[in-house]
Amino acid sequence: MSLRSPVRQAPLVMQVAEQFRTLIRSGSWPVGRKIPGEHQLAEELGVSRGTVREALRALSVTGLLEPRIGDGTYVRATDEITGVLVRDEVAAALTPVLDVRAGLEAAAARLAARQATPDAIRALDAALAARAAAHEARDRAGYVAADAEFHRGVVVASGNPLLLRLYDAVAGAIQQSIEDTAVFPEDPSVRDAHAAIARAIRDGDADGAVAASYGLIDGVKGTM
């Protein structure tokens, strides 16, 4: 007798939870935003409040949602990896975050040096120019945003979608590390390290890109 795959309908709670997950990932329910209440969601979906409650509880366990007593439920993260990190105190510790950044960004820089497209290289140059302009204008918010754009641009230039997904999963912690270590005026070694990363990628120097990436994080640590 041969086996046949069973035909079954996914449990209602799982179907509802998946719809909520899709709303979160698409940005329809953005991070930090309060979502509609159980009663409204139940009416819109045509299901019981108990079903909605269980679906919300399932996403709260994964860290995507955060229930606040007496207030409501808020979106905390867009994926489960980030959800775990944002509720973990380790993600708030600066040195571990910098060490993770070093590993991810060095791996990305190596790949980028081997296969970055002209468009990706232009994007890095544009981010560096925006970073320098913001520093000159003492625009801290613009400086942090441009710096974050440069580092993500290196990962984009790597051409590895999984590496980009991992990087985006810890983007919140990375952004915070940039904000926490931004100093005006910046240390010249930090500025030069950014330029060295872009230059190595442009020149196809994989080893140089790796060295510059690690050197940048070491320089940032030195200014702490």
Side-chain angles (χ1 to χ4, degrees), residues 29-209:
W29 285 0
V31 173
R33 183 73 59 82
K34 181 179 179 179
I35 69 171
E38 290 180 5
H39 181 71
Q40 179 181 338
L41 292 171
E43 284 193 340
E44 291 183 10
L45 291 167
V47 299
S48 70
R49 290 185 65 178
T51 296
V52 170
R53 187 177 302 115
E54 288 302 315
L56 294 177
R57 181 178 294 121
L59 297 186
S60 297
V61 169
T62 65
L64 296 183
L65 296 175
E66 178 186 7
R68 300 179 185 176
I69 297 176
D71 188 1
T73 300
Y74 289 76
V75 179
R76 194 172 192 182
T78 57
D79 60 72
E80 284 78 0
I81 296 176
T82 308
V84 171
L85 289 174
V86 297
R87 64 185 182 186
D88 191 336
E89 293 182 359
V90 173
L94 185 55
T95 298
V97 173
L98 290 175
D99 289 339
V100 168
R101 275 188 59 189
L104 289 175
E105 293 175 10
R110 179 186 292 278
L111 291 172
R114 293 171 175 169
Q115 58 192 29
T117 65
D119 284 345
I121 293 174
R122 281 193 289 270
L124 292 179
D125 290 338
L128 280 183
R131 184 179 184 277
H135 180 269
E136 182 68 21
R138 294 299 187 267
D139 175 7
R140 184 181 179 85
Y143 173 84
V144 169
D147 193 74
E149 183 179 356
F150 171 79
H151 291 292
R152 188 177 187 276
V154 172
V155 185
V156 171
S158 76
N160 187 312
L162 182 56
L163 190 58
L164 179 59
R165 184 172 181 183
L166 289 172
Y167 193 83
D168 283 344
V170 294
I174 290 174
Q175 178 87 11
Q176 189 62 52
S177 75
I178 293 173
E179 292 180 1
D180 290 344
T181 58
V183 177
F184 277 26
E186 71 176 343
D187 189 294
S189 68
V190 173
R191 178 200 61 211
D192 293 345
H194 282 81
I197 293 171
R199 183 169 57 251
I201 292 173
R202 188 183 305 108
D203 294 344
D205 181 3
D207 290 339

Side-chain angles (χ1 to χ4, degrees), residues 6-44:
V7 177
R8 65 175 65 176
Q9 184 74 15
L12 192 56
V13 170
M14 291 180 60
Q15 295 181 56
V16 172
E18 187 56 37
Q19 288 198 57
F20 294 163
R21 186 179 284 107
T22 299
L23 289 170
I24 293 170
R25 287 176 175 168
S26 68
S28 297
W29 285 0
V31 173
R33 183 73 59 82
K34 181 179 179 179
I35 69 171
E38 290 180 5
H39 181 71
Q40 179 181 338
L41 292 171
E43 284 193 340
E44 291 183 10

